[in-house]
Amino acid sequence: MKKFSVIIALIALVALVSLSGCGKKQATLYIFNWSDYIDTDLLREFEKKYNCKIKYSTFDSNENMLTKVKSSTQSFDLIFPSGDHVSILRELDMLEELDKTKLTNYGNLDTSLLKKAESFDPNNAFAIPYAWGLTGLMYNKQFVPQEIVASNGWNILGDSFFDGKNKITMLDDAREVIGAALIYSGFSVNDASPEALKAAHDVLKIWDRNITQFDSDSYKNELQDGTTWLAQAYNGDALQQMATNKDLEFILPKEGAAMWMDNIVMLKSSQNKELSYQFIDFLLDAENAKRNSDYTMYPTPNEAAMRLMGEDFINNKLINPDDEYLEKCYMIDYLGEAARSFDQIYEDIKMN
Ligand code: N2P
């Protein structure tokens, strides 16, 4: 009799566990994205909707992302590289060619931006454009007087006001750092000619006197507490900080700015391809993409979502500059072997 009741109890327990879903192993989706680059509520909603777990990790530069992805190919399903790194990952044969028929919301994407994306991903075969933006300068006006930033140009980085103060940071990204110096010197961010690179190198030697670190993440906190006064910064990241701190400002320098488009790609080695498609499609939903842009403050290549954005977002010239300014901006392109010269200059500047 005792044995019988133990068996009944066990059966009841098994029934309870399977009814509650805990007995079924949930699939886990591994995602690797830039920091501060998604509305995390969307992650929780996706987990609920698809009864799965998301393991979400972040990086703060394409270089770090690439190193990690190359050394642990099994670890991620979806990653979010910038355009030039989509080309690199394509060349390394690490990307899954996407079956667009599995993406019911693919038609929401802006066709003119898809065309632009073909410069790094011919036929839009491997990458889904996720967000785009511009790189400028962010500062704390408690510490940087208005007359220092009045020129509105990249030369603020070399202003003698900062001499000996150790209060400037630039991004930890060779293309962004040298790109800023190239634009300031009148060249495109993609000009790898010896003449352009020498001009950029010379400018960087001057700026470097006051640069304390090359960093793409901690400047956001450091600008709040005065550890850093001026930083090269991504526009959306800057706007996120400015929303909560009225002392912070961001400028798009008058000479122009580097532009980039970040993308969602699936690794060939992904163990969860169906769930990965579902996640991409979830982010491509117009309402979800709108919420995401409202959160990240970056414009989305999702045309249907852009139509839903509020006026404040659409009219913000730091997010959506007019065409005249955009003509002075250059998309960071894949340069192949020529990128080595950029790395050499960057290393030289960092070492000295
Ligand atoms: C988001 C950073 C934007 C990515 N925090 C620059 N490509």
Side-chain angles (χ1 to χ4, degrees):
M1 187 62 202
K2 213 165 165 206
K3 207 167 165 193
F4 183 68
S5 39
V6 169
I7 291 171
I8 295 287
L10 273 177
I11 291 173
L13 191 70
V14 168
L16 200 74
V17 163
S18 51
L19 272 178
S20 69
C22 299
K24 217 163 95 208
K25 200 171 171 313
Q26 280 181 317
T28 303
L29 192 62
Y30 290 86
I31 299 178
F32 200 26
N33 191 1
W34 294 84
S35 51
D36 301 324
Y37 216 26
I38 202 158
D39 178 348
T40 45
D41 284 350
L42 289 170
L43 300 179
R44 303 291 82 86
E45 285 169 32
F46 181 81
E47 286 179 325
K48 224 167 154 192
K49 183 164 177 190
Y50 290 93
N51 185 28
C52 64
K53 272 246 86 42
I54 292 179
K55 278 253 163 43
Y56 190 80
S57 338
T58 60
F59 55 86
D60 55 26
S61 76
N62 280 303
E63 286 75 11
N64 291 346
M65 174 277 294
L66 190 61
T67 311
K68 188 127 187 218
V69 167
K70 278 198 325 202
S71 62
S72 51
T73 44
Q74 294 302 315
S75 304
F76 303 108
D77 297 299
L78 295 169
I79 55 176
F80 289 62
S82 302
D84 58 332
H85 278 68
V86 169
S87 306
I88 295 173
L89 288 156
R90 266 186 79 141
E91 268 187 11
L92 292 169
D93 197 24
M94 291 179 76
L95 300 184
E96 175 78 8
E97 181 157 3
L98 296 173
D99 176 356
K100 316 275 179 29
T101 61
K102 299 194 167 171
L103 299 170
T104 57
N105 296 314
Y106 188 79
N108 286 343
L109 287 168
D110 183 329
T111 46
S112 65
L113 288 174
L114 279 173
K115 233 184 171 42
K116 266 207 171 120
E118 290 209 58
S119 67
F120 54 81
D121 179 30
N123 302 322
N124 303 114
F126 296 88
I128 303 292
Y130 173 70
W132 65 273
L134 298 162
T135 305
L137 293 171
M138 184 180 179
Y139 63 95
N140 187 323
K141 59 185 178 199
Q142 270 199 333
F143 306 104
V144 184
Q146 185 50 36
E147 67 262 25
I148 303 302
V149 288
S151 70
N152 214 34
W154 285 105
N155 62 325
I156 301 169
L157 287 166
D159 196 294
S160 57
F161 167 76
F162 295 101
D163 283 0
K165 295 196 169 84
N166 293 329
K167 292 293 180 188
I168 302 183
T169 67
M170 288 188 86
L171 293 168
D172 185 15
D173 183 313
R175 296 297 307 275
E176 289 282 7
V177 169
I178 298 161
L182 281 168
I183 293 179
Y184 174 65
S185 311
F187 298 98
S188 145
V189 296
N190 301 309
D191 195 334
S193 66
E195 180 204 4
L197 288 179
K198 167 148 186 3
H201 199 166
D202 290 347
V203 165
L204 281 171
K205 284 182 196 156
I206 299 169
W207 293 353
D208 191 39
R209 287 195 321 247
N210 292 322
I211 294 166
T212 52
Q213 56 174 335
F214 293 89
D215 150 80
S216 300
D217 203 30
S218 34
Y219 73 88
K220 294 177 234 169
N221 285 333
E222 291 179 1
L223 274 164
Q224 316 255 4
D225 66 17
T227 309
T228 294
W229 293 357
L230 172 72
Q232 186 187 25
Y234 302 122
N235 57 343
D237 285 29
L239 287 157
Q240 288 175 33
Q241 303 299 318
M242 284 157 64
T244 56
N245 184 339
K246 296 286 160 248
D247 290 325
L248 300 178
E249 294 283 351
F250 179 77
I251 57 172
L252 286 172
K254 63 179 181 217
E255 297 90 353
M259 182 193 280
W260 31 264
M261 194 187 283
D262 297 325
N263 308 270
I264 319 176
V265 295
M266 199 187 301
L267 288 179
K268 233 183 198 163
S269 55
S270 162
Q271 302 293 305
N272 283 302
K273 299 212 166 105
E274 283 317 303
L275 197 56
S276 296
Y277 277 115
Q278 282 161 335
F279 186 76
I280 297 173
D281 211 33
F282 180 79
L283 287 187
L284 282 175
D285 171 80
E287 183 57 37
N288 289 346
K290 178 220 180 265
R291 281 174 54 198
N292 205 27
S293 261
D294 271 333
Y295 179 96
T296 61
M297 309 282 253
Y298 287 101
T300 166
N302 189 312
E303 198 178 11
M306 280 304 277
R307 280 199 294 267
L308 303 175
M309 298 305 294
E311 273 186 18
D312 283 358
F313 188 97
I314 299 291
N315 296 332
N316 189 330
K317 292 286 169 237
L318 298 178
I319 299 176
N320 244 337
D322 42 37
D323 289 346
E324 198 190 328
Y325 188 77
L326 287 176
E327 268 162 35
K328 297 189 282 190
C329 298
Y330 305 87
M331 172 94 92
I332 297 179
D333 288 337
Y334 175 51
L335 297 178
E337 277 302 297
R340 275 181 204 275
S341 325
F342 282 70
D343 292 338
Q344 276 159 8
I345 295 176
Y346 187 53
E347 285 315 312
D348 179 67
I349 293 293
K350 274 170 91 167
M351 299 277 283
N352 292 303

